[in-house]
Amino acid sequence: AAVPVLLSVEPAPEVSVRCRPDEPRWLHWLVRSQGGKTFLFVVNNGDGEGQAPFTFDRKVKTVTVPRENRTIQPEGRSFQDEFKKLDVRMYELE
C-alpha cells in the first residue's frame, strides 16, 4: 500500500534529522505527501543504532507508525524515535 505514496509527486515538507554529537550516517529517509497527508520513510542501513529526532518545516499534530500500530507524541515541529540496526519504518504525519 506504500507504492502510491512513494511514487507521489505532490510537494512534501522539508525534514532534517538532529542527533548528537553527529548526524547518524546509518539513517536514511524520504518524505512524500499524498492526499493531504505526509509520510516519512526511514531505513537504518545497519551501521549503527540509537535515537533520532526528526524536525519538520511546520507543526506536526500526530505521528502514527501504521505497521507497528502505535502513535508517537510530537513536540511542535519535532518527534523522535529509537532505531535498531536494519530497522525500516513508515510514519504518517498530520
Coordinates of all heavy atoms in Angstrom, one line a residue:
A1 N 0.8 -1.2 0.0 CA 0.0 0.0 0.0 C 0.9 1.3 0.0 O 0.3 2.3 -0.2 CB -0.9 0.0 1.2
A2 N 2.2 1.1 0.2 CA 3.1 2.3 0.2 C 3.5 2.7 -1.2 O 4.0 3.8 -1.3 CB 4.3 2.0 1.1
V3 N 3.3 1.9 -2.2 CA 3.7 2.2 -3.5 C 3.1 3.5 -4.1 O 3.9 4.4 -4.6 CB 3.5 1.1 -4.5 CG1 3.8 1.5 -5.9 CG2 4.4 -0.1 -4.1
P4 N 1.8 3.8 -4.0 CA 1.3 5.1 -4.5 C 1.9 6.3 -3.7 O 2.1 7.3 -4.4 CB -0.2 5.0 -4.2 CG -0.5 3.5 -4.1 CD 0.8 2.9 -3.5
V5 N 2.2 6.1 -2.5 CA 2.8 7.2 -1.7 C 4.2 7.4 -2.2 O 4.6 8.6 -2.4 CB 2.8 6.9 -0.2 CG1 3.5 8.0 0.6 CG2 1.4 6.8 0.3
L6 N 5.0 6.4 -2.4 CA 6.4 6.5 -2.8 C 6.5 7.2 -4.2 O 7.4 7.9 -4.5 CB 7.1 5.2 -2.8 CG 7.4 4.6 -1.4 CD1 7.8 3.1 -1.5 CD2 8.5 5.4 -0.8
L7 N 5.5 6.9 -5.0 CA 5.5 7.4 -6.4 C 4.8 8.8 -6.5 O 4.8 9.4 -7.6 CB 4.8 6.5 -7.3 CG 5.5 5.1 -7.5 CD1 4.7 4.2 -8.4 CD2 6.9 5.3 -8.0
S8 N 4.3 9.3 -5.4 CA 3.6 10.6 -5.4 C 4.6 11.8 -5.8 O 5.7 11.8 -5.5 CB 3.0 10.9 -4.0 OG 2.5 12.2 -4.0
V9 N 4.0 12.7 -6.6 CA 4.8 13.9 -7.0 C 4.3 15.2 -6.3 O 4.7 16.3 -6.6 CB 4.7 14.1 -8.5 CG1 5.4 13.0 -9.2 CG2 3.3 14.3 -9.0
E10 N 3.4 15.0 -5.3 CA 2.9 16.1 -4.5 C 4.1 16.7 -3.7 O 4.9 16.0 -3.2 CB 1.8 15.7 -3.6 CG 0.5 15.3 -4.3 CD -0.6 14.9 -3.3 OE1 -0.6 15.4 -2.2 OE2 -1.4 14.0 -3.7
P11 N 4.1 18.1 -3.5 CA 5.2 18.7 -2.7 C 5.2 18.1 -1.3 O 4.1 18.0 -0.7 CB 4.8 20.2 -2.8 CG 3.9 20.3 -3.9 CD 3.2 19.0 -4.1
A12 N 6.3 17.9 -0.8 CA 6.5 17.4 0.6 C 7.2 18.4 1.4 O 8.1 19.1 0.9 CB 7.2 16.0 0.6
P13 N 7.0 18.4 2.7 CA 7.7 19.3 3.6 C 9.2 18.9 3.8 O 9.5 17.8 3.6 CB 7.0 19.2 4.9 CG 6.3 17.9 4.9 CD 6.0 17.6 3.5
E14 N 10.0 19.9 4.2 CA 11.4 19.7 4.4 C 11.5 18.9 5.8 O 10.6 19.0 6.6 CB 12.1 21.0 4.6 CG 12.2 21.8 3.3 CD 13.1 21.1 2.3 OE1 14.2 20.5 2.7 OE2 12.8 21.1 1.1
V15 N 12.5 18.1 5.9 CA 12.7 17.3 7.1 C 14.2 17.3 7.4 O 15.0 17.2 6.4 CB 12.1 15.9 7.1 CG1 12.8 15.1 6.0 CG2 12.3 15.2 8.4
S16 N 14.6 17.4 8.6 CA 16.0 17.3 9.0 C 16.1 16.3 10.2 O 15.1 16.1 10.9 CB 16.6 18.7 9.3 OG 16.0 19.2 10.5
V17 N 17.3 15.8 10.3 CA 17.5 14.9 11.5 C 18.6 15.5 12.3 O 19.6 15.9 11.8 CB 17.9 13.5 11.0 CG1 18.3 12.6 12.2 CG2 16.8 12.8 10.2
R18 N 18.3 15.6 13.6 CA 19.3 16.2 14.5 C 19.6 15.1 15.6 O 18.8 14.7 16.3 CB 18.8 17.4 15.2 CG 18.8 18.6 14.3 CD 18.4 19.8 15.0 NE 16.9 19.8 15.1 CZ 16.2 20.5 16.1 NH1 16.9 21.2 16.9 NH2 14.9 20.4 16.1
C19 N 20.9 14.7 15.5 CA 21.3 13.7 16.6 C 22.7 14.2 17.1 O 23.5 14.8 16.4 CB 21.6 12.3 16.0 SG 20.0 11.5 15.5
R20 N 22.9 14.0 18.4 CA 24.1 14.5 19.0 C 25.0 13.3 19.3 O 24.4 12.3 19.7 CB 23.8 15.3 20.2 CG 23.1 16.6 19.8 CD 22.7 17.4 21.1 NE 22.1 18.6 20.7 CZ 20.8 18.8 20.6 NH1 20.0 17.8 20.8 NH2 20.3 19.9 20.2
P21 N 26.3 13.3 19.1 CA 27.0 14.5 18.6 C 27.0 14.7 17.1 O 27.2 15.9 16.7 CB 28.4 14.2 19.1 CG 28.5 12.7 19.1 CD 27.2 12.2 19.4
D22 N 26.8 13.7 16.3 CA 26.8 13.9 14.9 C 25.5 13.3 14.2 O 24.9 12.4 14.8 CB 28.0 13.2 14.3 CG 29.3 13.8 14.7 OD1 29.4 15.0 14.7 OD2 30.2 13.0 15.1
E23 N 25.2 13.8 13.1 CA 24.1 13.2 12.3 C 24.4 11.7 12.0 O 25.5 11.4 11.6 CB 23.9 14.0 11.0 CG 22.7 13.4 10.2 CD 22.5 14.2 9.0 OE1 22.4 15.5 9.1 OE2 22.4 13.6 7.9
P24 N 23.5 10.8 12.2 CA 23.8 9.4 12.0 C 23.9 9.1 10.5 O 23.0 9.3 9.8 CB 22.6 8.7 12.6 CG 21.5 9.6 12.6 CD 22.1 11.0 12.7
R25 N 25.1 8.6 10.1 CA 25.3 8.2 8.7 C 24.5 6.9 8.4 O 24.4 6.6 7.2 CB 26.7 8.1 8.4 CG 27.5 9.5 8.6 CD 28.9 9.4 8.1 NE 29.6 10.5 8.5 CZ 29.6 11.7 7.8 NH1 28.9 11.8 6.7 NH2 30.4 12.7 8.2
W26 N 24.1 6.2 9.4 CA 23.4 5.0 9.2 C 21.9 5.1 9.0 O 21.2 4.2 8.7 CB 23.6 4.0 10.4 CG 23.5 4.7 11.8 CD1 24.5 5.2 12.5 CD2 22.3 4.9 12.5 NE1 24.0 5.7 13.7 CE2 22.7 5.6 13.7 CE3 21.0 4.6 12.3 CZ2 21.7 5.9 14.7 CZ3 20.0 5.0 13.2 CH2 20.4 5.6 14.4
L27 N 21.4 6.3 9.0 CA 20.0 6.6 8.9 C 19.7 7.3 7.6 O 20.3 8.3 7.2 CB 19.5 7.4 10.1 CG 18.0 7.4 10.3 CD1 17.6 6.0 10.8 CD2 17.7 8.4 11.4
H28 N 18.7 6.8 6.8 CA 18.3 7.4 5.5 C 16.8 7.5 5.5 O 16.1 6.7 6.0 CB 18.8 6.4 4.4 CG 20.2 6.1 4.5 ND1 21.2 6.9 4.0 CD2 20.8 5.0 5.0 CE1 22.4 6.3 4.2 NE2 22.2 5.2 4.9
W29 N 16.4 8.6 4.9 CA 14.9 8.9 5.0 C 14.5 9.6 3.7 O 15.2 10.1 2.9 CB 14.5 9.7 6.2 CG 15.1 11.1 6.2 CD1 14.5 12.2 5.7 CD2 16.4 11.5 6.6 NE1 15.4 13.3 5.8 CE2 16.5 12.9 6.4 CE3 17.4 10.8 7.3 CZ2 17.7 13.6 6.8 CZ3 18.6 11.6 7.6 CH2 18.7 12.9 7.4
L30 N 13.2 9.5 3.5 CA 12.5 10.0 2.3 C 11.1 10.5 2.8 O 10.4 9.8 3.5 CB 12.3 8.9 1.2 CG 11.5 9.2 0.0 CD1 12.3 10.2 -0.9 CD2 11.3 7.9 -0.8
V31 N 10.8 11.7 2.3 CA 9.5 12.3 2.7 C 8.6 12.4 1.4 O 9.1 12.9 0.4 CB 9.7 13.7 3.3 CG1 8.3 14.3 3.7 CG2 10.6 13.7 4.5
R32 N 7.4 12.0 1.6 CA 6.4 12.1 0.5 C 5.1 12.6 1.0 O 4.7 12.3 2.2 CB 6.2 10.7 -0.2 CG 7.4 10.2 -1.0 CD 7.5 11.0 -2.3 NE 8.5 10.5 -3.1 CZ 9.7 11.0 -3.3 NH1 10.1 12.0 -2.6 NH2 10.6 10.4 -4.2
S33 N 4.3 13.2 0.2 CA 2.9 13.7 0.5 C 2.0 13.1 -0.5 O 2.3 13.0 -1.7 CB 2.8 15.2 0.5 OG 3.6 15.8 1.5
Q34 N 0.8 12.7 0.0 CA -0.3 12.2 -0.8 C -1.6 12.4 -0.1 O -1.7 12.1 1.1 CB -0.1 10.8 -1.2 CG -1.2 10.3 -2.1 CD -1.1 8.8 -2.4 OE1 -0.9 8.0 -1.5 NE2 -1.3 8.4 -3.6
G35 N -2.6 13.0 -0.8 CA -3.9 13.2 -0.3 C -4.0 14.0 1.0 O -4.8 13.7 1.9
G36 N -3.1 15.0 1.1 CA -3.1 15.9 2.3 C -2.4 15.3 3.5 O -2.3 15.9 4.5
K37 N -1.8 14.2 3.3 CA -1.0 13.6 4.4 C 0.5 13.5 4.0 O 0.8 13.4 2.9 CB -1.5 12.1 4.7 CG -2.9 12.1 5.3 CD -3.3 10.7 5.6 CE -4.7 10.7 6.2 NZ -5.1 9.3 6.5
T38 N 1.3 13.5 5.1 CA 2.8 13.4 4.8 C 3.3 12.1 5.4 O 2.8 11.7 6.5 CB 3.5 14.6 5.6 OG1 3.0 15.8 5.0 CG2 5.0 14.5 5.3
F39 N 4.1 11.5 4.7 CA 4.7 10.2 5.0 C 6.2 10.3 5.1 O 6.8 10.9 4.2 CB 4.3 9.1 4.0 CG 2.8 8.9 4.0 CD1 2.0 9.7 3.1 CD2 2.2 7.9 4.8 CE1 0.7 9.5 3.0 CE2 0.8 7.8 4.7 CZ 0.1 8.5 3.8
L40 N 6.8 9.7 6.1 CA 8.2 9.7 6.3 C 8.7 8.2 6.3 O 8.2 7.5 7.1 CB 8.6 10.4 7.6 CG 10.1 10.3 8.0 CD1 11.0 11.0 7.1 CD2 10.3 10.8 9.5
F41 N 9.5 7.9 5.4 CA 10.1 6.5 5.3 C 11.5 6.6 5.8 O 12.3 7.4 5.3 CB 10.1 6.0 3.9 CG 8.7 5.9 3.3 CD1 8.1 7.0 2.6 CD2 8.0 4.7 3.4 CE1 6.8 6.8 2.1 CE2 6.7 4.6 2.8 CZ 6.1 5.6 2.2
V42 N 11.9 5.7 6.8 CA 13.2 5.7 7.4 C 13.8 4.3 7.4 O 13.1 3.4 7.7 CB 13.1 6.3 8.9 CG1 14.5 6.3 9.5 CG2 12.4 7.6 8.9
V43 N 15.1 4.3 7.0 CA 15.8 3.0 6.9 C 17.1 3.1 7.7 O 17.8 4.1 7.5 CB 16.1 2.6 5.5 CG1 16.9 1.3 5.4 CG2 14.8 2.5 4.7
N44 N 17.4 2.2 8.5 CA 18.7 2.1 9.2 C 19.5 1.1 8.4 O 19.1 -0.1 8.2 CB 18.5 1.6 10.6 CG 19.9 1.5 11.4 OD1 20.9 1.4 10.8 ND2 19.8 1.5 12.7
N45 N 20.7 1.5 7.8 CA 21.5 0.6 7.0 C 22.3 -0.4 7.8 O 23.0 -1.2 7.2 CB 22.4 1.4 6.1 CG 23.5 2.1 6.8 OD1 23.8 1.9 8.0 ND2 24.2 3.1 6.1
G46 N 22.2 -0.4 9.1 CA 22.8 -1.4 9.9 C 24.2 -1.1 10.5 O 24.8 -1.8 11.2
D47 N 24.7 0.1 10.2 CA 26.0 0.5 10.7 C 25.9 1.2 12.0 O 27.0 1.6 12.6 CB 26.7 1.5 9.7 CG 27.1 0.8 8.4 OD1 27.3 -0.5 8.5 OD2 27.3 1.4 7.4
G48 N 24.8 1.3 12.6 CA 24.6 2.0 13.9 C 23.2 1.9 14.4 O 22.4 1.3 13.8
E49 N 23.0 2.4 15.6 CA 21.6 2.5 16.1 C 21.6 3.5 17.2 O 22.6 4.1 17.6 CB 21.2 1.1 16.7 CG 22.2 0.5 17.7 CD 21.8 -0.9 18.2 OE1 21.0 -1.5 17.5 OE2 22.3 -1.3 19.2
G50 N 20.3 3.9 17.5 CA 20.2 5.0 18.5 C 18.9 5.8 18.3 O 18.1 5.5 17.5
Q51 N 18.9 6.9 19.0 CA 17.8 7.8 19.0 C 17.9 8.8 17.8 O 19.0 9.3 17.6 CB 17.7 8.6 20.3 CG 16.5 9.4 20.6 CD 15.3 8.5 21.0 OE1 15.4 7.3 21.0 NE2 14.3 9.1 21.5
A52 N 16.8 9.1 17.1 CA 16.9 10.1 16.0 C 15.7 11.0 16.1 O 14.6 10.6 16.1 CB 16.8 9.4 14.7
P53 N 16.0 12.3 16.4 CA 14.9 13.3 16.4 C 14.7 13.9 14.9 O 15.7 14.2 14.3 CB 15.4 14.4 17.3 CG 16.9 14.2 17.5 CD 17.2 12.8 16.9
F54 N 13.5 14.0 14.5 CA 13.1 14.5 13.2 C 12.4 15.8 13.4 O 11.6 16.0 14.2 CB 12.2 13.5 12.5 CG 12.8 12.2 12.2 CD1 12.6 11.2 13.1 CD2 13.5 12.0 11.0 CE1 13.2 9.9 12.8 CE2 14.1 10.8 10.8 CZ 13.9 9.7 11.7
T55 N 12.8 16.8 12.6 CA 12.2 18.2 12.7 C 11.7 18.6 11.3 O 12.4 18.4 10.3 CB 13.3 19.2 13.1 OG1 13.8 18.8 14.4 CG2 12.7 20.6 13.2
F56 N 10.5 19.1 11.2 CA 9.8 19.5 10.0 C 9.7 21.0 9.9 O 9.9 21.7 10.9 CB 8.4 18.8 9.9 CG 8.5 17.3 9.8 CD1 8.6 16.6 11.0 CD2 8.5 16.7 8.6 CE1 8.7 15.2 10.9 CE2 8.6 15.4 8.5 CZ 8.7 14.6 9.6
D57 N 9.4 21.5 8.7 CA 9.2 22.9 8.5 C 7.9 23.4 8.9 O 7.6 24.6 8.8 CB 9.5 23.2 7.0 CG 8.4 22.7 6.1 OD1 7.6 21.9 6.5 OD2 8.4 23.1 4.9
R58 N 7.1 22.6 9.5 CA 5.8 23.0 10.0 C 5.4 22.1 11.2 O 6.0 21.1 11.4 CB 4.7 22.9 8.9 CG 4.5 21.6 8.4 CD 3.4 21.6 7.3 NE 3.4 20.3 6.5 CZ 2.8 19.2 6.9 NH1 2.2 19.1 8.1 NH2 2.8 18.2 6.1
K59 N 4.4 22.6 12.0 CA 4.0 21.9 13.2 C 3.4 20.5 12.8 O 2.7 20.4 11.8 CB 3.0 22.7 13.9 CG 2.6 22.1 15.3 CD 1.7 23.0 16.0 CE 1.3 22.3 17.3 NZ 0.5 23.1 18.2
V60 N 3.7 19.5 13.6 CA 3.2 18.1 13.4 C 2.1 17.9 14.5 O 2.4 18.0 15.7 CB 4.3 17.1 13.5 CG1 3.7 15.7 13.3 CG2 5.4 17.4 12.4
K61 N 0.9 17.5 14.1 CA -0.2 17.3 15.1 C -0.1 15.9 15.6 O -0.3 15.6 16.8 CB -1.5 17.6 14.4 CG -1.7 19.0 14.1 CD -3.1 19.2 13.4 CE -3.3 20.6 13.0 NZ -4.5 20.8 12.3
T62 N 0.0 14.9 14.7 CA 0.0 13.5 15.1 C 1.1 12.7 14.3 O 1.3 13.0 13.1 CB -1.3 12.8 14.9 OG1 -1.7 12.8 13.5 CG2 -2.4 13.4 15.7
V63 N 1.7 11.7 14.9 CA 2.6 10.8 14.2 C 2.2 9.4 14.5 O 2.1 9.0 15.7 CB 4.1 11.0 14.8 CG1 5.0 10.0 14.1 CG2 4.5 12.5 14.6
T64 N 1.9 8.7 13.4 CA 1.4 7.3 13.6 C 2.4 6.4 12.9 O 2.9 6.7 11.8 CB 0.0 7.1 12.9 OG1 -0.9 8.1 13.5 CG2 -0.5 5.7 13.1
V65 N 2.7 5.2 13.5 CA 3.5 4.2 12.9 C 2.6 3.1 12.5 O 2.3 2.2 13.3 CB 4.6 3.7 13.8 CG1 5.6 2.8 13.1 CG2 5.4 4.9 14.5
P66 N 2.0 3.1 11.3 CA 0.9 2.2 11.0 C 1.2 0.7 11.1 O 0.5 -0.1 11.6 CB 0.6 2.5 9.5 CG 1.1 3.9 9.3 CD 2.2 4.0 10.2
R67 N 2.4 0.3 10.7 CA 2.7 -1.1 10.7 C 3.1 -1.6 12.1 O 3.2 -2.8 12.3 CB 3.9 -1.4 9.7 CG 3.4 -1.1 8.3 CD 4.4 -1.5 7.3 NE 3.8 -1.2 6.0 CZ 4.5 -1.1 4.9 NH1 5.8 -1.2 4.9 NH2 3.9 -0.9 3.7
E68 N 3.3 -0.7 13.0 CA 3.6 -1.1 14.4 C 2.4 -0.8 15.3 O 2.5 -1.0 16.5 CB 4.9 -0.4 14.9 CG 6.1 -0.9 14.1 CD 7.4 -0.1 14.5 OE1 7.4 0.5 15.7 OE2 8.3 -0.2 13.8
N69 N 1.3 -0.3 14.7 CA 0.1 0.0 15.5 C 0.4 0.9 16.7 O 0.0 0.5 17.8 CB -0.6 -1.3 15.9 CG -2.1 -1.0 16.1 OD1 -2.6 0.0 15.6 ND2 -2.7 -1.9 16.8
R70 N 1.2 2.0 16.6 CA 1.5 2.8 17.7 C 1.5 4.3 17.2 O 1.6 4.6 16.0 CB 2.8 2.5 18.3 CG 4.0 2.7 17.5 CD 5.3 2.2 18.2 NE 6.4 2.3 17.3 CZ 7.4 3.2 17.4 NH1 7.4 4.1 18.4 NH2 8.4 3.2 16.6
T71 N 1.4 5.2 18.2 CA 1.4 6.6 18.0 C 2.6 7.2 18.8 O 2.8 6.8 19.9 CB 0.1 7.2 18.4 OG1 -0.9 6.6 17.6 CG2 0.0 8.7 18.1
I72 N 3.2 8.2 18.2 CA 4.3 9.0 18.9 C 3.8 10.4 19.1 O 3.2 11.0 18.2 CB 5.6 9.0 18.1 CG1 6.1 7.6 17.8 CG2 6.6 9.9 18.7 CD1 7.2 7.5 16.8
Q73 N 3.9 10.9 20.3 CA 3.5 12.3 20.6 C 4.6 13.3 20.1 O 5.7 13.3 20.7 CB 3.3 12.4 22.1 CG 2.8 13.8 22.5 CD 1.5 14.1 21.9 OE1 0.5 13.3 21.9 NE2 1.3 15.3 21.4
P74 N 4.2 14.1 19.1 CA 5.2 15.1 18.7 C 5.3 16.3 19.6 O 4.4 16.5 20.4 CB 4.6 15.5 17.3 CG 3.2 15.3 17.4 CD 3.0 14.1 18.4
E75 N 6.4 17.0 19.5 CA 6.6 18.2 20.3 C 6.7 19.4 19.3 O 7.9 19.6 18.8 CB 7.8 18.1 21.2 CG 7.6 17.1 22.3 CD 8.8 16.9 23.2 OE1 9.7 17.8 23.1 OE2 8.9 15.9 23.9
G76 N 5.7 20.0 19.0 CA 5.7 21.1 18.0 C 6.0 20.6 16.6 O 5.2 19.9 16.0
R77 N 7.2 20.9 16.1 CA 7.6 20.5 14.7 C 8.4 19.3 14.7 O 9.0 18.9 13.7 CB 8.3 21.6 14.0 CG 7.5 22.9 13.9 CD 8.3 24.0 13.2 NE 9.6 24.2 13.7 CZ 10.7 24.4 13.0 NH1 10.6 24.4 11.7 NH2 11.9 24.5 13.5
S78 N 8.6 18.6 15.9 CA 9.6 17.5 16.0 C 9.0 16.3 16.7 O 8.0 16.4 17.5 CB 10.8 18.0 16.8 OG 11.4 19.0 16.2
F79 N 9.6 15.2 16.4 CA 9.3 13.9 17.2 C 10.6 13.1 17.1 O 11.5 13.4 16.3 CB 8.1 13.2 16.6 CG 8.4 12.4 15.4 CD1 8.8 11.0 15.4 CD2 8.2 13.0 14.1 CE1 9.0 10.3 14.3 CE2 8.4 12.2 13.0 CZ 8.8 10.9 13.0
Q80 N 10.7 12.1 18.0 CA 11.9 11.3 17.9 C 11.5 9.8 18.1 O 10.4 9.5 18.6 CB 12.9 11.7 19.0 CG 12.5 11.8 20.4 CD 13.5 12.3 21.3 OE1 14.7 12.4 20.9 NE2 13.1 12.7 22.5
D81 N 12.4 9.0 17.7 CA 12.2 7.5 17.8 C 13.5 6.8 17.9 O 14.5 7.4 17.5 CB 11.4 7.0 16.6 CG 10.5 5.8 16.9 OD1 10.6 5.3 18.0 OD2 9.8 5.3 16.0
E82 N 13.5 5.6 18.4 CA 14.6 4.8 18.6 C 14.8 3.8 17.4 O 13.8 3.2 16.9 CB 14.5 4.0 19.9 CG 15.7 3.2 20.3 CD 16.8 4.0 20.8 OE1 16.6 5.1 21.4 OE2 18.0 3.5 20.8
F83 N 16.0 3.7 16.9 CA 16.3 2.8 15.8 C 17.3 1.7 16.1 O 18.4 2.1 16.6 CB 16.7 3.6 14.5 CG 15.6 4.4 14.0 CD1 15.4 5.7 14.4 CD2 14.8 3.9 13.0 CE1 14.4 6.4 13.9 CE2 13.8 4.6 12.4 CZ 13.6 5.9 12.9
K84 N 17.0 0.5 15.9 CA 17.9 -0.6 16.0 C 18.5 -0.9 14.6 O 18.0 -0.4 13.6 CB 17.3 -1.8 16.6 CG 16.7 -1.6 18.0 CD 16.5 -2.9 18.7 CE 15.9 -2.7 20.1 NZ 16.5 -1.8 20.9
K85 N 19.5 -1.6 14.5 CA 20.2 -2.0 13.2 C 19.1 -2.6 12.3 O 18.4 -3.4 12.7 CB 21.3 -2.9 13.4 CG 22.5 -2.2 14.1 CD 23.7 -3.1 14.3 CE 24.8 -2.3 15.0 NZ 26.0 -3.1 15.1
L86 N 19.1 -2.1 11.0 CA 18.3 -2.6 9.9 C 16.8 -2.3 10.1 O 16.0 -2.9 9.4 CB 18.5 -4.1 9.7 CG 20.0 -4.4 9.4 CD1 20.1 -6.0 9.2 CD2 20.5 -3.7 8.1
D87 N 16.4 -1.4 11.0 CA 15.0 -1.1 11.2 C 14.5 -0.3 9.9 O 15.3 0.5 9.3 CB 14.8 -0.1 12.4 CG 14.5 -0.8 13.7 OD1 14.3 -2.1 13.6 OD2 14.6 -0.2 14.7
V88 N 13.3 -0.6 9.5 CA 12.6 0.1 8.4 C 11.3 0.6 9.0 O 10.5 -0.2 9.5 CB 12.4 -0.8 7.2 CG1 11.6 -0.1 6.1 CG2 13.7 -1.4 6.7
R89 N 11.0 1.9 8.8 CA 9.7 2.4 9.3 C 9.1 3.3 8.4 O 9.7 4.0 7.6 CB 10.0 3.2 10.6 CG 10.5 2.4 11.7 CD 9.7 2.6 13.0 NE 10.2 1.7 14.0 CZ 11.3 2.0 14.8 NH1 11.9 3.1 14.7 NH2 11.7 1.1 15.6
M90 N 7.7 3.4 8.5 CA 6.9 4.4 7.8 C 6.1 5.1 8.8 O 5.5 4.5 9.7 CB 6.0 3.7 6.8 CG 5.1 4.7 6.0 SD 4.0 4.0 4.8 CE 2.7 3.5 5.9
Y91 N 6.2 6.4 8.8 CA 5.4 7.3 9.7 C 4.4 8.1 8.9 O 4.7 8.5 7.8 CB 6.3 8.3 10.4 CG 7.4 7.7 11.2 CD1 8.7 7.5 10.7 CD2 7.2 7.3 12.5 CE1 9.7 7.0 11.4 CE2 8.2 6.8 13.3 CZ 9.5 6.6 12.7 OH 10.5 6.1 13.5
E92 N 3.2 8.2 9.4 CA 2.2 9.0 8.8 C 2.0 10.3 9.7 O 1.8 10.1 10.9 CB 0.9 8.3 8.7 CG -0.2 9.0 8.0 CD -1.5 8.2 7.9 OE1 -1.4 7.0 7.6 OE2 -2.6 8.8 8.1
L93 N 2.2 11.4 9.1 CA 2.1 12.7 9.9 C 0.9 13.5 9.4 O 0.6 13.6 8.3 CB 3.4 13.5 9.7 CG 4.7 12.7 10.0 CD1 5.5 12.6 8.7 CD2 5.4 13.2 11.1
E94 N 0.3 14.2 10.4 CA -0.8 15.1 10.1 C -0.6 16.4 10.9 O 0.0 16.4 11.9 CB -2.1 14.5 10.5 CG -2.5 13.3 9.5 CD -3.9 12.8 9.8 OE1 -4.8 13.6 10.0 OE2 -4.1 11.6 9.8

